[in-house]
Amino acid sequence: MKNKNLYNYILGIADNSLILGQRLGSLTGHGPSLETDIACTNMSLDLFGQVRSYYQYAAKIAGDNRTEDDIAMLRKEREYVNVLLVEQPNTDFAYTMARQFLFDVYHLSFLQELQKSKDLTLSAIANKSIKEVSYHLRFSSDWIKRLGDGTAVSHQKMQDAIDGLWTYTDELFHQTEADKAMVAEGIGVDVTLLKEAYYEKVKAILDESTLQTPESKWFQKGGKEGVHTEHLGYLLAELQYMQRAYPNMEW
Amino acid sequence: MSEEQIKNLETQFEARIARDEKIEPKDWMPEKYRKTHIRQMSQHAHSEIVGMLPEGNWITRAPSLRRKVALLAKVQDEAGHGLYLYSACETLGVSREELYEQLHSGKAKYSSIFNYPTVTWADMGAVGWLVDGAAIINQVPLCNTSYGPYARAMVRVCKEESFHQRQGYEIMIKLANGTPEQKELAQDALNRWWWPSLMMLGPTDAESIHTEQSMKWKLKRKSNDDLRQQFIDQTVPQAELIGLTIPDPDLKWNEERQSYDFGEINWDEFWQVVKGHGPCNKERMKARVGAWEEGEWVRDAAMAYAEKKRNRKEKLAI
C-alpha cells in the first residue's frame, strides 16, 4: 500500500466510532426511557455514519478490492486500533453515559482540529461530524449532571463509573507511529496538545455535577497498538458473525 | 347533566363523525369513545416499542454497515412512533406511566407477531416486508380516523412504515438473488413469517368483537377478512417476482373473485400466542419490564435534578 500511514491513521480514528457505535447499538430497546433510547440509537447511527465515510475513504486509499465492510468486519482482534475506553461494556446507564462523556469531550476537540487537516476528505468528514458530536457531548454532559447531582443513588453510581473508566482516559492522548507521521504532514491532529484542555473541561463538568475528579495516575493503554481488554473479542464476535458465517456474499 | 342532555350531545357527536369532522382532545366525547381510543392507541404504541425488540436483536449482527445503519434507523423510527402514539394517548387524560403499567401487568395487549423470534438475518427482511406490509394495510385507513391526534400521528407513521416495508423487501430481493444459501435463508424466513403475518390482521369477522362500533367511529374502515385478502393479493405477486414460494398449498388465483383463495389459518396458534403462550411472550415482557425497572433510578435522578434546578432558579429570582 502506497500510503500506509494515512490508511492506519484513518483506522485509528474510525475504529473508535465503530466500537462505540456497536456498544450503543446493543442498547436499543432497553433504555431507561423512550427518549434516552431514541437518543442513544441516534448517537449510534451518527457514529456508524461517520465510520462509513472513514472506511470508504480508507478502502479507496488501500486501492485493492477491499470494501468498507471488509475493513469493519474482517480484521482480527489485534488489528483493531480503537482506544480501550470505547470498548468498555454497558455496565449500567451511568457507565454508558460516563464512557460517552469521556469520549465526547475528546472527540469534539479532536474533530475541531481535524477540520484544519490538509487532507480535504478528512477535513470534510470532520466538518460534518462536528455537528453530530456537539450534540453527543451536550447529551452526555447533561446526563453526567443529572446523575451526579440527582439522587444519592445516582451520584454514587456515576462516581463509580467515572472512577472505573478514568484509567482509560490517558490513552486518548497517546501517539502512534501513523499519528506522528500524519502530524508531520499536516494531515493529522497532534493529540498531545489536546490533553490539558480535555482534563480541564472534564473537571469543570464533574465539579458542576458534584462529582470528584479521580486523582489516580495509573492508566491503561494498548488499544491503539491492538492490545485490547477482554471485552473486545466478544463484541467482535457479534459484529463479524454474518461475514464470518457466510463469507463472500452480498447483503 | 341529564340523560336527555347527554343523549343530545351523543347525537351531535355521531353527526360530526358522520360528516368526517375530526374530534379534538378538548371536545366532548362519550366515555366509551375515550376508552376505546385509549385501548387501541396504547395497544398500537405498545406494539411499536415491543416491536423494537425482535429487530433490535439483529443490530449488533447486521451483515454490512449499510444494513446496520438502515436497521438502527428503522428501530429508532419505531421508538419515535411509540412516542407520538403515547403522546396522542395522553391527550385523552392517561399518563405514559399508567400505560406502561398496563403493558407490564399484561392488562394491555400488543401485536402478537412480536412474540415470534427473529432467528436469522433473513427475518429482518421478512419482518419488514410482511409484518410492516400487514401493518400498513391495517394503518392506512387510520389516517382518516375520527380522532384528530391519532389520525395525524398515523399520517407520519404510515409514511415511515411504507419505507420500512420497501427496505424489508429489498433485503429479501438481495437474498433471493444471492447464493443458494442466501435464497434458502429467505425462503425459510417466509415460511416462518407468512402465517403469523396473516394472523396479524386479526380474527375472522365472525370472531371479532370490536368491529361494529369501531367502524362507526372510523377506527376501522374495512373488516379483518377484507384487509387480509388485500394483504394476500398484494403480497403473493411480490413473492413470485423474486422466486419465493408462499408456504400454502391451497393458495390459488380465483378468476371469478379476481383474488387469491388461501388455506385454513391455524387460529388455535393465534389464540395461544394472544393468551401469552407464544415462543417469546415471556422474553419480550421480561425485556420491557427489565428496562423499566433498571431505569427507575435514572428517571428518579432526572426528576430530582430538575427539582433542584428549579429551586435554585427560584432562589436566584428572590
Side-chain angles (χ1 to χ4, degrees):
Chain A
M1 200 187 302
K2 229 170 41 194
N3 210 338
K4 202 152 178 57
N5 278 331
L6 179 58
Y7 179 85
N8 287 336
Y9 185 67
I10 298 168
L11 261 48
I13 306 169
D15 284 359
N16 289 334
S17 297
L18 174 78
I19 303 302
L20 187 56
Q22 179 79 358
R23 278 285 183 238
L24 289 170
S26 71
L27 291 170
T28 302
H30 304 279
S33 70
L34 207 41
E35 287 80 355
T36 50
D37 214 310
I38 291 174
C40 287
T41 309
N42 199 48
M43 293 194 291
S44 173
L45 253 177
D46 288 342
L47 291 166
F48 279 115
Q50 295 164 18
V51 165
R52 294 192 68 193
S53 305
Y54 287 125
Y55 287 164
Q56 283 166 9
Y57 183 38
K60 210 166 103 187
I61 289 163
D64 42 23
N65 287 326
R66 82 183 74 178
T67 66
E68 59 178 68
D69 293 324
D70 296 338
I71 300 176
M73 298 177 184
L74 289 175
R75 281 179 286 155
K76 301 278 163 54
E77 299 89 326
R78 294 277 279 104
E79 293 166 340
Y80 285 83
V81 289
N82 57 281
V83 291
L84 301 177
L85 175 65
V86 294
E87 71 199 40
Q88 298 312 305
N90 300 322
T91 307
D92 61 18
F93 192 68
Y95 264 85
T96 302
M97 283 303 109
R99 182 185 63 206
Q100 193 65 38
F101 168 68
L102 293 172
F103 183 70
D104 289 342
V105 175
Y106 159 81
H107 197 190
L108 184 61
S109 65
F110 175 83
L111 291 171
Q112 281 162 345
E113 291 306 310
L114 188 65
Q115 222 179 350
K116 302 172 195 158
S117 171
K118 271 191 194 163
D119 183 301
L120 295 180
T121 307
L122 287 181
S123 156
I125 300 173
N127 192 292
K128 176 187 163 280
S129 308
I130 279 175
K131 290 178 205 130
E132 296 165 348
V133 173
S134 305
Y135 166 76
H136 300 179
L137 177 59
R138 201 174 76 205
F139 181 82
S140 62
S141 304
D142 282 350
W143 275 105
I144 300 294
K145 292 178 211 164
R146 284 194 195 104
L147 298 181
D149 195 15
T151 62
V153 172
S154 71
H155 176 87
Q156 191 55 50
K157 281 182 190 276
M158 185 43 93
Q159 188 67 59
D160 290 348
I162 293 286
D163 293 348
L165 293 169
W166 196 254
T167 189
Y168 303 111
T169 53
D170 189 65
E171 190 194 8
L172 291 163
F173 309 101
H174 291 198
Q175 279 188 316
T176 62
E177 287 312 310
D179 287 353
K180 286 176 194 160
M182 287 300 102
V183 171
E185 286 186 39
I187 290 174
V189 175
D190 185 347
V191 287
T192 60
L193 302 178
L194 306 177
K195 187 170 171 175
E196 202 182 319
Y198 172 88
Y199 282 109
E200 275 171 21
K201 169 90 181 163
V202 167
K203 186 176 185 313
I205 300 278
L206 293 182
D207 284 350
E208 197 187 331
S209 314
T210 72
L211 293 160
Q212 295 292 322
T213 302
E215 281 171 11
S216 166
K217 297 281 181 243
W218 297 98
F219 293 105
Q220 299 300 317
K221 60 179 180 184
K224 287 185 176 184
E225 307 297 335
V227 182
H228 291 277
T229 57
E230 289 176 352
H231 304 296
L232 188 70
Y234 295 94
L235 181 149
L236 294 178
E238 277 188 44
L239 176 74
Q240 301 190 344
Y241 165 69
M242 287 296 291
Q243 291 279 343
R244 298 283 179 201
Y246 302 89
N248 303 318
M249 295 183 203
E250 281 185 30
W251 302 96
Chain B
M1 222 181 289
S2 72
E3 243 175 69
E4 198 180 336
Q5 279 170 316
I6 292 178
K7 201 141 197 126
N8 199 11
L9 282 170
E10 274 175 11
T11 312
Q12 285 174 28
F13 179 84
E14 300 295 346
R16 285 184 65 191
I17 293 182
R19 286 197 301 273
D20 261 336
E21 279 176 37
K22 291 280 177 265
I23 307 300
E24 296 301 334
K26 287 186 176 156
D27 295 347
W28 183 87
M29 62 185 76
E31 189 53 20
K32 196 170 170 208
Y33 180 91
R34 196 180 77 87
K35 285 207 166 122
T36 304
H37 277 76
I38 291 177
R39 196 193 68 232
Q40 178 163 333
M41 284 155 62
S42 66
Q43 193 169 315
H44 189 167
H46 298 326
S47 301
E48 296 283 357
I49 59 159
V50 177
M52 292 168 72
L53 300 169
E55 291 184 281
N57 184 37
W58 277 89
I59 287 174
T60 58
R61 292 174 295 167
S64 68
L65 291 174
R66 175 171 165 260
R67 292 293 182 201
K68 195 189 287 279
V69 167
L71 184 59
L72 273 163
K74 182 185 177 196
V75 181
Q76 191 191 25
D77 283 348
E78 282 156 9
H81 298 170
L83 201 54
Y84 322 136
L85 289 163
Y86 283 126
S87 305
C89 276
E90 284 175 313
T91 64
L92 291 170
V94 59
S95 70
R96 210 199 296 179
E97 283 68 25
E98 287 173 78
L99 297 172
Y100 277 160
E101 171 53 36
Q102 290 172 4
L103 172 67
H104 297 162
S105 67
K107 193 178 157 220
K109 298 276 179 235
Y110 55 90
S111 182
S112 268
I113 193 84
F114 300 120
N115 291 316
Y116 288 86
T118 52
V119 292
T120 73
W121 168 253
D123 291 8
M124 295 302 99
V127 168
W129 174 35
L130 303 173
V131 175
D132 292 328
I136 293 166
I137 290 204
N138 253 332
Q139 291 168 7
V140 165
L142 293 174
C143 297
N144 293 315
T145 190
S146 62
Y147 189 54
Y150 194 26
R152 288 187 289 273
M154 291 316 296
V155 171
R156 178 154 180 189
V157 168
C158 283
K159 276 187 195 155
E160 293 180 350
E161 291 294 354
S162 139
F163 183 76
H164 298 163
Q165 198 252 353
R166 287 201 296 268
Q167 190 173 293
Y169 188 54
E170 202 250 331
I171 292 177
M172 294 304 265
I173 294 176
K174 199 82 185 170
L175 294 172
N177 292 326
T179 64
E181 206 177 357
Q182 283 175 304
K183 189 163 180 180
E184 207 178 296
L185 281 175
Q187 183 63 52
D188 167 63
L190 173 58
N191 293 349
R192 284 180 291 107
W193 289 94
W194 174 253
W195 292 104
S197 299
L198 296 190
M199 295 175 199
M200 245 184 103
L201 294 148
T204 51
D205 297 346
E207 302 254 340
S208 181
I209 41 172
H210 303 299
T211 300
E212 200 187 331
Q213 180 70 79
S214 295
M215 288 272 195
K216 210 162 82 187
W217 288 336
K218 298 174 183 175
L219 255 179
K220 203 161 181 60
R221 313 201 92 167
K222 280 186 183 174
S223 76
N224 293 348
D225 287 336
D226 287 347
L227 293 169
R228 190 163 14 250
Q229 186 70 59
Q230 185 187 337
F231 174 72
I232 293 169
D233 291 347
Q234 165 188 310
T235 311
V236 172
Q238 293 171 353
E240 282 171 356
L241 192 68
I242 56 175
L244 297 179
T245 310
I246 302 283
D248 177 358
D250 296 325
L251 185 85
K252 70 170 189 291
W253 179 249
N254 181 325
E255 195 57 44
E256 200 180 319
R257 289 201 305 122
Q258 286 293 300
S259 253
Y260 283 93
D261 291 336
F262 55 96
E264 194 74 31
I265 291 172
N266 181 354
W267 291 110
D268 288 344
E269 176 183 325
F270 174 76
W271 291 113
Q272 181 181 329
V273 181
V274 169
K275 286 176 183 154
H277 307 291
C280 300
N281 297 59
K282 290 196 175 69
E283 282 86 344
R284 299 296 184 236
M285 266 315 96
K286 204 173 147 203
R288 284 313 319 160
V289 173
W292 185 246
E293 287 177 352
E294 280 163 33
E296 193 179 1
W297 69 269
V298 176
R299 297 189 303 275
D300 288 349
M303 296 294 278
Y305 178 75
E307 179 75 23
K308 282 185 196 175
K309 225 176 152 181
R310 207 166 25 245
N311 289 343
R312 274 180 219 138
K313 234 186 194 164
E314 276 167 15
K315 260 189 199 158
L316 277 177
I318 300 165

PDB file of all heavy atoms in Angstrom, chain A residues 84-106:
ATOM      1  N   LEU A  84      -9.108   1.797  24.404  1.00  0.00           N
ATOM      2  CA  LEU A  84      -9.757   0.850  25.329  1.00  0.00           C
ATOM      3  C   LEU A  84     -11.075   1.413  25.877  1.00  0.00           C
ATOM      4  O   LEU A  84     -12.013   0.667  26.142  1.00  0.00           O
ATOM      5  CB  LEU A  84      -8.821   0.526  26.492  1.00  0.00           C
ATOM      6  CG  LEU A  84      -7.467  -0.091  26.101  1.00  0.00           C
ATOM      7  CD1 LEU A  84      -6.606  -0.291  27.350  1.00  0.00           C
ATOM      8  CD2 LEU A  84      -7.643  -1.422  25.375  1.00  0.00           C
ATOM      9  N   LEU A  85     -11.112   2.742  26.031  1.00  0.00           N
ATOM     10  CA  LEU A  85     -12.301   3.369  26.630  1.00  0.00           C
ATOM     11  C   LEU A  85     -13.587   2.947  25.929  1.00  0.00           C
ATOM     12  O   LEU A  85     -14.561   2.558  26.575  1.00  0.00           O
ATOM     13  CB  LEU A  85     -12.151   4.901  26.567  1.00  0.00           C
ATOM     14  CG  LEU A  85     -13.357   5.717  27.048  1.00  0.00           C
ATOM     15  CD1 LEU A  85     -13.612   5.503  28.537  1.00  0.00           C
ATOM     16  CD2 LEU A  85     -13.164   7.211  26.755  1.00  0.00           C
ATOM     17  N   VAL A  86     -13.603   3.007  24.593  1.00  0.00           N
ATOM     18  CA  VAL A  86     -14.873   2.817  23.873  1.00  0.00           C
ATOM     19  C   VAL A  86     -15.351   1.362  23.867  1.00  0.00           C
ATOM     20  O   VAL A  86     -16.522   1.110  23.610  1.00  0.00           O
ATOM     21  CB  VAL A  86     -14.803   3.349  22.421  1.00  0.00           C
ATOM     22  CG1 VAL A  86     -14.634   4.860  22.416  1.00  0.00           C
ATOM     23  CG2 VAL A  86     -13.698   2.675  21.618  1.00  0.00           C
ATOM     24  N   GLU A  87     -14.466   0.436  24.152  1.00  0.00           N
ATOM     25  CA  GLU A  87     -14.904  -0.966  24.136  1.00  0.00           C
ATOM     26  C   GLU A  87     -15.440  -1.420  25.495  1.00  0.00           C
ATOM     27  O   GLU A  87     -15.916  -2.548  25.635  1.00  0.00           O
ATOM     28  CB  GLU A  87     -13.750  -1.884  23.682  1.00  0.00           C
ATOM     29  CG  GLU A  87     -12.618  -2.030  24.689  1.00  0.00           C
ATOM     30  CD  GLU A  87     -11.324  -2.539  24.060  1.00  0.00           C
ATOM     31  OE1 GLU A  87     -11.000  -2.098  22.926  1.00  0.00           O
ATOM     32  OE2 GLU A  87     -10.649  -3.366  24.680  1.00  0.00           O
ATOM     33  N   GLN A  88     -15.371  -0.572  26.498  1.00  0.00           N
ATOM     34  CA  GLN A  88     -15.834  -0.971  27.837  1.00  0.00           C
ATOM     35  C   GLN A  88     -17.345  -1.231  27.802  1.00  0.00           C
ATOM     36  O   GLN A  88     -18.078  -0.559  27.097  1.00  0.00           O
ATOM     37  CB  GLN A  88     -15.478   0.105  28.884  1.00  0.00           C
ATOM     38  CG  GLN A  88     -13.972   0.327  29.039  1.00  0.00           C
ATOM     39  CD  GLN A  88     -13.196  -0.976  29.194  1.00  0.00           C
ATOM     40  OE1 GLN A  88     -13.497  -1.777  30.089  1.00  0.00           O
ATOM     41  NE2 GLN A  88     -12.231  -1.235  28.315  1.00  0.00           N
ATOM     42  N   PRO A  89     -17.791  -2.229  28.572  1.00  0.00           N
ATOM     43  CA  PRO A  89     -19.188  -2.678  28.439  1.00  0.00           C
ATOM     44  C   PRO A  89     -20.222  -1.675  28.964  1.00  0.00           C
ATOM     45  O   PRO A  89     -19.894  -0.751  29.697  1.00  0.00           O
ATOM     46  CB  PRO A  89     -19.220  -3.960  29.276  1.00  0.00           C
ATOM     47  CG  PRO A  89     -18.053  -3.904  30.177  1.00  0.00           C
ATOM     48  CD  PRO A  89     -17.018  -3.053  29.507  1.00  0.00           C
ATOM     49  N   ASN A  90     -21.482  -1.925  28.574  1.00  0.00           N
ATOM     50  CA  ASN A  90     -22.615  -1.115  29.041  1.00  0.00           C
ATOM     51  C   ASN A  90     -23.011  -1.596  30.441  1.00  0.00           C
ATOM     52  O   ASN A  90     -24.094  -2.153  30.626  1.00  0.00           O
ATOM     53  CB  ASN A  90     -23.806  -1.303  28.105  1.00  0.00           C
ATOM     54  CG  ASN A  90     -23.498  -0.892  26.678  1.00  0.00           C
ATOM     55  OD1 ASN A  90     -22.799   0.083  26.431  1.00  0.00           O
ATOM     56  ND2 ASN A  90     -24.024  -1.657  25.725  1.00  0.00           N
ATOM     57  N   THR A  91     -22.147  -1.396  31.409  1.00  0.00           N
ATOM     58  CA  THR A  91     -22.398  -1.942  32.749  1.00  0.00           C
ATOM     59  C   THR A  91     -23.745  -1.474  33.294  1.00  0.00           C
ATOM     60  O   THR A  91     -24.536  -2.273  33.786  1.00  0.00           O
ATOM     61  CB  THR A  91     -21.268  -1.515  33.707  1.00  0.00           C
ATOM     62  OG1 THR A  91     -20.039  -1.884  33.089  1.00  0.00           O
ATOM     63  CG2 THR A  91     -21.399  -2.150  35.066  1.00  0.00           C
ATOM     64  N   ASP A  92     -23.999  -0.190  33.233  1.00  0.00           N
ATOM     65  CA  ASP A  92     -25.319   0.360  33.563  1.00  0.00           C
ATOM     66  C   ASP A  92     -25.390   1.724  32.883  1.00  0.00           C
ATOM     67  O   ASP A  92     -24.460   2.116  32.176  1.00  0.00           O
ATOM     68  CB  ASP A  92     -25.551   0.453  35.082  1.00  0.00           C
ATOM     69  CG  ASP A  92     -24.547   1.361  35.785  1.00  0.00           C
ATOM     70  OD1 ASP A  92     -23.897   2.184  35.098  1.00  0.00           O
ATOM     71  OD2 ASP A  92     -24.405   1.244  37.012  1.00  0.00           O
ATOM     72  N   PHE A  93     -26.476   2.445  33.085  1.00  0.00           N
ATOM     73  CA  PHE A  93     -26.647   3.707  32.360  1.00  0.00           C
ATOM     74  C   PHE A  93     -25.585   4.733  32.769  1.00  0.00           C
ATOM     75  O   PHE A  93     -25.168   5.567  31.960  1.00  0.00           O
ATOM     76  CB  PHE A  93     -28.066   4.255  32.585  1.00  0.00           C
ATOM     77  CG  PHE A  93     -28.416   5.385  31.656  1.00  0.00           C
ATOM     78  CD1 PHE A  93     -28.571   5.169  30.296  1.00  0.00           C
ATOM     79  CD2 PHE A  93     -28.579   6.677  32.145  1.00  0.00           C
ATOM     80  CE1 PHE A  93     -28.882   6.212  29.431  1.00  0.00           C
ATOM     81  CE2 PHE A  93     -28.895   7.735  31.289  1.00  0.00           C
ATOM     82  CZ  PHE A  93     -29.047   7.496  29.928  1.00  0.00           C
ATOM     83  N   ALA A  94     -25.118   4.641  34.011  1.00  0.00           N
ATOM     84  CA  ALA A  94     -24.076   5.574  34.454  1.00  0.00           C
ATOM     85  C   ALA A  94     -22.776   5.312  33.685  1.00  0.00           C
ATOM     86  O   ALA A  94     -22.124   6.239  33.199  1.00  0.00           O
ATOM     87  CB  ALA A  94     -23.853   5.430  35.957  1.00  0.00           C
ATOM     88  N   TYR A  95     -22.416   4.051  33.544  1.00  0.00           N
ATOM     89  CA  TYR A  95     -21.212   3.712  32.777  1.00  0.00           C
ATOM     90  C   TYR A  95     -21.357   4.117  31.315  1.00  0.00           C
ATOM     91  O   TYR A  95     -20.424   4.624  30.698  1.00  0.00           O
ATOM     92  CB  TYR A  95     -20.928   2.201  32.852  1.00  0.00           C
ATOM     93  CG  TYR A  95     -19.928   1.840  33.927  1.00  0.00           C
ATOM     94  CD1 TYR A  95     -20.349   1.644  35.236  1.00  0.00           C
ATOM     95  CD2 TYR A  95     -18.566   1.706  33.642  1.00  0.00           C
ATOM     96  CE1 TYR A  95     -19.444   1.322  36.240  1.00  0.00           C
ATOM     97  CE2 TYR A  95     -17.658   1.379  34.631  1.00  0.00           C
ATOM     98  CZ  TYR A  95     -18.095   1.188  35.925  1.00  0.00           C
ATOM     99  OH  TYR A  95     -17.201   0.879  36.900  1.00  0.00           O
ATOM    100  N   THR A  96     -22.548   3.858  30.772  1.00  0.00           N
ATOM    101  CA  THR A  96     -22.771   4.188  29.365  1.00  0.00           C
ATOM    102  C   THR A  96     -22.590   5.684  29.144  1.00  0.00           C
ATOM    103  O   THR A  96     -21.943   6.113  28.176  1.00  0.00           O
ATOM    104  CB  THR A  96     -24.182   3.738  28.937  1.00  0.00           C
ATOM    105  OG1 THR A  96     -24.277   2.338  29.165  1.00  0.00           O
ATOM    106  CG2 THR A  96     -24.454   4.029  27.477  1.00  0.00           C
ATOM    107  N   MET A  97     -23.147   6.480  30.043  1.00  0.00           N
ATOM    108  CA  MET A  97     -23.043   7.941  29.883  1.00  0.00           C
ATOM    109  C   MET A  97     -21.638   8.440  30.221  1.00  0.00           C
ATOM    110  O   MET A  97     -21.135   9.364  29.579  1.00  0.00           O
ATOM    111  CB  MET A  97     -24.084   8.648  30.761  1.00  0.00           C
ATOM    112  CG  MET A  97     -25.482   8.600  30.202  1.00  0.00           C
ATOM    113  SD  MET A  97     -25.596   9.325  28.524  1.00  0.00           S
ATOM    114  CE  MET A  97     -25.847   7.875  27.537  1.00  0.00           C
ATOM    115  N   ALA A  98     -21.002   7.847  31.216  1.00  0.00           N
ATOM    116  CA  ALA A  98     -19.644   8.287  31.564  1.00  0.00           C
ATOM    117  C   ALA A  98     -18.684   7.971  30.420  1.00  0.00           C
ATOM    118  O   ALA A  98     -17.855   8.800  30.037  1.00  0.00           O
ATOM    119  CB  ALA A  98     -19.186   7.592  32.851  1.00  0.00           C
ATOM    120  N   ARG A  99     -18.814   6.784  29.848  1.00  0.00           N
ATOM    121  CA  ARG A  99     -17.965   6.401  28.703  1.00  0.00           C
ATOM    122  C   ARG A  99     -18.185   7.385  27.558  1.00  0.00           C
ATOM    123  O   ARG A  99     -17.239   7.865  26.932  1.00  0.00           O
ATOM    124  CB  ARG A  99     -18.349   4.978  28.271  1.00  0.00           C
ATOM    125  CG  ARG A  99     -17.522   4.422  27.123  1.00  0.00           C
ATOM    126  CD  ARG A  99     -18.073   3.063  26.693  1.00  0.00           C
ATOM    127  NE  ARG A  99     -19.428   3.192  26.199  1.00  0.00           N
ATOM    128  CZ  ARG A  99     -20.345   2.236  26.204  1.00  0.00           C
ATOM    129  NH1 ARG A  99     -20.055   1.031  26.671  1.00  0.00           N
ATOM    130  NH2 ARG A  99     -21.569   2.446  25.746  1.00  0.00           N
ATOM    131  N   GLN A 100     -19.455   7.689  27.325  1.00  0.00           N
ATOM    132  CA  GLN A 100     -19.806   8.607  26.247  1.00  0.00           C
ATOM    133  C   GLN A 100     -19.194   9.989  26.490  1.00  0.00           C
ATOM    134  O   GLN A 100     -18.570  10.571  25.604  1.00  0.00           O
ATOM    135  CB  GLN A 100     -21.345   8.712  26.176  1.00  0.00           C
ATOM    136  CG  GLN A 100     -21.866   9.378  24.929  1.00  0.00           C
ATOM    137  CD  GLN A 100     -21.546   8.567  23.685  1.00  0.00           C
ATOM    138  OE1 GLN A 100     -21.595   7.338  23.709  1.00  0.00           O
ATOM    139  NE2 GLN A 100     -21.196   9.244  22.616  1.00  0.00           N
ATOM    140  N   PHE A 101     -19.369  10.466  27.693  1.00  0.00           N
ATOM    141  CA  PHE A 101     -18.885  11.809  28.035  1.00  0.00           C
ATOM    142  C   PHE A 101     -17.366  11.881  27.932  1.00  0.00           C
ATOM    143  O   PHE A 101     -16.811  12.800  27.315  1.00  0.00           O
ATOM    144  CB  PHE A 101     -19.353  12.150  29.461  1.00  0.00           C
ATOM    145  CG  PHE A 101     -18.697  13.366  30.043  1.00  0.00           C
ATOM    146  CD1 PHE A 101     -18.963  14.629  29.535  1.00  0.00           C
ATOM    147  CD2 PHE A 101     -17.818  13.254  31.124  1.00  0.00           C
ATOM    148  CE1 PHE A 101     -18.361  15.758  30.077  1.00  0.00           C
ATOM    149  CE2 PHE A 101     -17.213  14.370  31.666  1.00  0.00           C
ATOM    150  CZ  PHE A 101     -17.476  15.622  31.139  1.00  0.00           C
ATOM    151  N   LEU A 102     -16.682  10.894  28.512  1.00  0.00           N
ATOM    152  CA  LEU A 102     -15.213  10.929  28.495  1.00  0.00           C
ATOM    153  C   LEU A 102     -14.686  10.831  27.062  1.00  0.00           C
ATOM    154  O   LEU A 102     -13.635  11.367  26.729  1.00  0.00           O
ATOM    155  CB  LEU A 102     -14.637   9.804  29.366  1.00  0.00           C
ATOM    156  CG  LEU A 102     -14.907   9.956  30.874  1.00  0.00           C
ATOM    157  CD1 LEU A 102     -14.468   8.709  31.639  1.00  0.00           C
ATOM    158  CD2 LEU A 102     -14.225  11.211  31.446  1.00  0.00           C
ATOM    159  N   PHE A 103     -15.436  10.162  26.210  1.00  0.00           N
ATOM    160  CA  PHE A 103     -15.022  10.116  24.806  1.00  0.00           C
ATOM    161  C   PHE A 103     -15.441  11.387  24.056  1.00  0.00           C
ATOM    162  O   PHE A 103     -14.660  11.934  23.275  1.00  0.00           O
ATOM    163  CB  PHE A 103     -15.592   8.873  24.109  1.00  0.00           C
ATOM    164  CG  PHE A 103     -15.115   8.764  22.684  1.00  0.00           C
ATOM    165  CD1 PHE A 103     -13.786   8.458  22.400  1.00  0.00           C
ATOM    166  CD2 PHE A 103     -15.974   9.000  21.620  1.00  0.00           C
ATOM    167  CE1 PHE A 103     -13.321   8.384  21.083  1.00  0.00           C
ATOM    168  CE2 PHE A 103     -15.523   8.929  20.308  1.00  0.00           C
ATOM    169  CZ  PHE A 103     -14.190   8.623  20.039  1.00  0.00           C
ATOM    170  N   ASP A 104     -16.665  11.854  24.289  1.00  0.00           N
ATOM    171  CA  ASP A 104     -17.179  13.011  23.541  1.00  0.00           C
ATOM    172  C   ASP A 104     -16.309  14.257  23.726  1.00  0.00           C
ATOM    173  O   ASP A 104     -16.097  15.006  22.770  1.00  0.00           O
ATOM    174  CB  ASP A 104     -18.608  13.358  23.989  1.00  0.00           C
ATOM    175  CG  ASP A 104     -19.640  12.330  23.535  1.00  0.00           C
ATOM    176  OD1 ASP A 104     -19.348  11.554  22.615  1.00  0.00           O
ATOM    177  OD2 ASP A 104     -20.743  12.312  24.132  1.00  0.00           O
ATOM    178  N   VAL A 105     -15.856  14.503  24.946  1.00  0.00           N
ATOM    179  CA  VAL A 105     -15.042  15.702  25.182  1.00  0.00           C
ATOM    180  C   VAL A 105     -13.802  15.637  24.290  1.00  0.00           C
ATOM    181  O   VAL A 105     -13.434  16.602  23.623  1.00  0.00           O
ATOM    182  CB  VAL A 105     -14.625  15.820  26.666  1.00  0.00           C
ATOM    183  CG1 VAL A 105     -13.674  17.001  26.869  1.00  0.00           C
ATOM    184  CG2 VAL A 105     -15.843  15.960  27.562  1.00  0.00           C
ATOM    185  N   TYR A 106     -13.189  14.462  24.257  1.00  0.00           N
ATOM    186  CA  TYR A 106     -12.027  14.256  23.394  1.00  0.00           C
ATOM    187  C   TYR A 106     -12.421  14.374  21.919  1.00  0.00           C
ATOM    188  O   TYR A 106     -11.786  15.075  21.137  1.00  0.00           O
ATOM    189  CB  TYR A 106     -11.417  12.875  23.667  1.00  0.00           C
ATOM    190  CG  TYR A 106     -10.561  12.375  22.530  1.00  0.00           C
ATOM    191  CD1 TYR A 106      -9.245  12.808  22.389  1.00  0.00           C
ATOM    192  CD2 TYR A 106     -11.082  11.501  21.583  1.00  0.00           C
ATOM    193  CE1 TYR A 106      -8.473  12.375  21.316  1.00  0.00           C
ATOM    194  CE2 TYR A 106     -10.316  11.059  20.518  1.00  0.00           C
ATOM    195  CZ  TYR A 106      -9.017  11.500  20.373  1.00  0.00           C
ATOM    196  OH  TYR A 106      -8.259  11.083  19.329  1.00  0.00           O
TER     197      TYR A 106
END
